[in-house]
Amino acid sequence: MLSKNQGKFVRTIKPFQYGIFSSKALDFFDNSDAFLNILHGSVRSSKTINANVRWLNFIANSPHDKFLLTGKTRDTIERNVIEDLISMIHGKLYYNYDKYDGYIDIGDKRTYIVGFNDEGATSRIQGMTVAGWYGDEAATAPESAIKMAMSRCSLSGAQIFLTMNPDSPYHYIYKQYITNQELRKKGTVKVWHFTLEDNPNLAPEYVENLKSLYHASKLQYDRYILGRWVIAEGAIYDKFVESENTFRYRPKLHDINICCDYGVSTVTTFGVMGIHRDPEGNSYYLLEETYYDAEVMGVAQSDDERVDDIVTLQDRYKLDNNNTLFLPHDAASLKTACEKDSRVKMKIKTYTPDVNEDIGTIQRLIATRRFKIHVNCKNSIEQAQTYSWDKKAQAKGKDMPLKQDDHCPDMWRGGICGPMKTAKKQIYHASRRVKI
Ligand SMILES: Nc1ncnc2c1ncn2[C@@H]1O[C@H](COP(=O)(O)OP(=O)(O)OP(=O)(O)O)[C@@H](O)[C@H]1O
Ligand SMILES: [Mg+2]
């Protein structure tokens, strides 16, 4: 909540409204005396709140005064951990939070804050010696950073508290710690598995909504709702049903953009993506695709020929600078060729994918029939059904699509996720104009 103080807007900090702690949470408070204490499981299952309470208790009772808090980035650490930590201590304990220098002092204890996705993170903790480490979203961190942080906890009585959602069962944290019976028998590692039932503070309607949000993807449902470490297997868009996800007659559209997947000596494909806007959620229609396979044709296409394809589509759909051409991040020479060619009237943007996040978005659209492909787009219809997870990458703990017949799914991303991300950025910039 914002209130005015001496002409400036300041954020009012509301004290944390404690609800119910489940019996699993109480067990974690009482028994988390191992060197490495891991809370893993479903989203929203109270892992972070329980870790926060335990962390405050841990640092208060430690004879030392230097600790470490990590997460994906300093921004996510602030949102996921610091805001609740502050609302738990505000008005009760002295604190000083400095996001930019990366620390929070609580009483006379200093906790350094490091984002493991931020550049140079591992080197920043390299020389540190701390008496404890709280790692939020630890499964998203590189193994080297986790190992480095562990080695920093060398002061007597040091303890580690990690929270995370499940990933692949080949993930190093799952293999080396969660399922390591030797370390668990010795009491070096202790593990608590949380599911939505372990958080009695969530409204039943919220839980239902959460479940339906993840329903589109079996993988995400199993990991984020059921809290299981399972592999991504089989077809990625397994909810695609040809009769439901294709269309013949063009619906009413509010926007049309062109998207692309680019391969110098493989396939270059362009798509014309129509958007039907709806406050309940937009729908996306692939109206047309081009597909040039250099291996089949026996000769690579030049960038000038690709620009010709773009201009043909642009003119056929009467597109101009109200429409956008989303080019992939690795198509620098094609971008230059488009910028030089005065026939290209559309805005040109580079789209950098977030592969697994984009897959999740498209899975939801396919499952809710909000992404449809024109019956004439044969390659897209085929690849929607054959696009699969890569088994070899899974064995190394990574979720990756197989790099085979993936050109159309890669092409759709810019047309679907490109406009979504542009809209999100605009909302973010507008909200930054509020003085806090
Ligand atoms: N003891 C509690 N009292 C009041 N609210 C709680 C309590 N435990 C959890 N909550 C609330 O439940 C929600 C989810 O909790 P939390 O963020 O700890 O879950 P999580 O398991 O860390 O989720 P994620 O995996 O998404 O990070 C939050 O809104 C949190 O404030
Ligand atoms: Mg959390």
Side-chain angles (χ1 to χ4, degrees):
M1 192 212 271
L2 296 174
S3 63
K4 222 170 181 189
N5 180 8
Q6 294 178 338
K8 273 188 178 173
F9 285 101
V10 290
R11 197 187 284 277
T12 314
I13 296 167
K14 282 209 251 159
F16 187 76
Q17 299 294 316
Y18 286 97
I20 304 165
F21 288 101
S22 64
S23 52
K24 203 170 279 175
L26 299 177
D27 180 67
F28 165 68
F29 296 149
D30 290 345
N31 297 305
S32 47
D33 52 5
F35 175 61
L36 176 56
N37 301 278
I38 298 177
L39 294 98
H40 68 122
S42 322
V43 285
R44 313 277 76 202
S45 59
S46 75
K47 302 179 300 295
T48 301
I49 293 298
N50 296 330
N52 279 0
V53 171
R54 180 70 182 93
W55 180 250
L56 289 174
N57 179 275
F58 170 71
I59 61 171
N61 287 304
S62 167
H64 306 289
D65 57 5
K66 283 194 181 54
F67 305 89
L68 174 66
L69 169 61
T70 65
K72 264 194 193 170
T73 64
R74 280 193 198 166
D75 282 340
T76 63
I77 299 170
E78 179 176 274
R79 267 201 311 277
N80 296 349
V81 181
I82 302 277
E83 284 184 0
D84 281 332
L85 268 185
I86 287 180
S87 69
M88 286 172 174
I89 57 176
H90 186 69
K92 298 184 188 131
L93 276 176
Y94 162 83
Y95 68 89
N96 177 29
Y97 169 45
D98 189 329
K99 181 176 177 181
Y100 299 96
D101 282 342
Y103 66 84
I104 180 167
D105 288 338
I106 300 177
D108 57 353
K109 314 284 173 148
R110 173 159 292 193
T111 298
Y112 295 103
I113 301 166
V114 178
F116 272 160
N117 276 6
D118 297 337
E119 235 167 84
T122 321
S123 61
R124 226 172 304 138
I125 61 170
Q126 211 157 16
M128 258 182 208
T129 304
V130 291
W133 166 36
Y134 174 3
D136 187 48
E137 298 193 85
T140 63
E143 184 172 355
S144 57
I146 295 284
K147 295 268 158 70
M148 175 65 77
M150 279 185 184
S151 72
R152 303 295 92 209
C153 297
S154 55
L155 294 174
S156 62
Q159 281 192 265
I160 300 170
F161 303 91
L162 301 183
T163 70
M164 69 200 72
N165 297 122
D167 199 281
S168 150
Y170 297 102
H171 191 283
Y172 63 93
I173 293 187
Y174 190 71
K175 282 202 306 194
Q176 295 175 27
Y177 306 110
I178 294 181
T179 55
N180 187 325
Q181 293 312 324
E182 207 183 313
L183 290 179
R184 288 182 65 166
K185 256 191 222 143
K186 272 202 236 159
T188 313
V189 175
K190 283 193 178 180
V191 177
W192 286 263
H193 182 246
F194 278 78
T195 63
L196 285 163
E197 284 69 44
D198 297 310
N199 185 0
N201 303 288
L202 302 175
E205 314 83 74
Y206 175 80
V207 173
E208 282 316 305
N209 279 342
L210 201 60
K211 287 183 177 168
S212 59
L213 199 67
Y214 287 103
H215 220 86
S217 156
K218 184 171 164 13
L219 175 71
Q220 291 197 352
Y221 193 86
D222 286 353
R223 285 185 184 170
Y224 300 137
I225 298 297
L226 303 179
R228 294 188 186 144
W229 295 74
V230 288
I231 52 166
E233 56 184 342
I236 294 177
Y237 296 133
D238 56 353
K239 295 280 192 306
F240 184 93
V241 177
E242 195 165 337
S243 58
E244 305 271 334
N245 288 100
T246 57
F247 70 100
R248 198 172 285 277
Y249 303 106
R250 183 173 153 170
K252 184 173 177 217
L253 297 173
H254 301 98
D255 194 8
I256 298 180
N257 299 305
I258 292 184
C259 46
C260 161
D261 184 47
Y262 173 86
V264 178
S265 54
T266 54
V267 171
T268 292
T269 167
F270 294 105
V272 181
M273 191 71 78
I275 306 177
H276 173 87
R277 296 202 190 284
D278 185 325
E280 300 285 310
N282 296 346
S283 296
Y284 297 81
Y285 293 86
L286 183 70
L287 304 169
E288 184 169 344
E289 70 178 16
T290 66
Y291 199 86
Y292 186 95
D293 189 336
E295 277 168 25
V296 173
M297 303 301 278
V299 52
Q301 218 182 5
S302 71
D303 278 337
D304 288 342
E305 286 165 337
R306 293 184 182 107
V307 178
D308 289 344
D309 285 350
I310 293 170
V311 172
T312 306
L313 292 173
Q314 169 193 275
D315 294 348
R316 185 175 303 149
Y317 288 86
K318 300 189 172 43
L319 307 181
D320 55 25
N321 66 354
N322 292 311
N323 308 93
T324 307
L325 167 65
F326 287 98
L327 293 176
H329 57 301
D330 54 358
S333 66
L334 177 59
K335 189 172 181 222
T336 310
C338 289
E339 282 165 346
K340 273 198 205 143
D341 195 315
S342 60
R343 294 175 302 158
V344 179
K345 299 186 198 110
M346 291 176 290
K347 286 189 283 264
I348 304 169
K349 284 195 181 149
T350 300
Y351 182 69
T352 307
D354 183 328
V355 177
N356 287 347
E357 193 186 306
D358 294 353
I359 284 177
T361 302
I362 296 174
Q363 279 176 327
R364 271 193 286 282
L365 292 173
I366 286 179
T368 52
R369 315 297 171 215
R370 290 193 291 125
F371 173 41
K372 295 193 181 192
I373 300 174
H374 192 272
V375 287
N376 289 347
C377 300
K378 299 287 177 220
N379 295 293
S380 283
I381 293 172
E382 194 180 310
Q383 292 182 11
Q385 297 168 78
T386 55
Y387 190 47
S388 312
W389 295 109
D390 182 345
K391 278 194 190 141
K392 280 194 190 140
Q394 279 156 12
K396 292 183 196 139
K398 287 205 177 84
D399 294 336
M400 273 172 53
L402 197 62
K403 293 230 96 350
Q404 186 187 312
D405 297 333
D406 57 348
H407 307 289
C408 295
D410 284 357
M411 172 264 280
W412 312 330
R413 293 188 301 214
I416 294 175
C417 306
M420 279 183 190
K421 286 186 187 163
T422 314
K424 263 193 212 156
K425 253 192 201 161
Q426 278 163 358
I427 294 168
Y428 175 74
H429 286 304
S431 70
R432 300 259 300 182
R433 276 183 223 122
V434 180
K435 263 198 195 168
I436 300 184

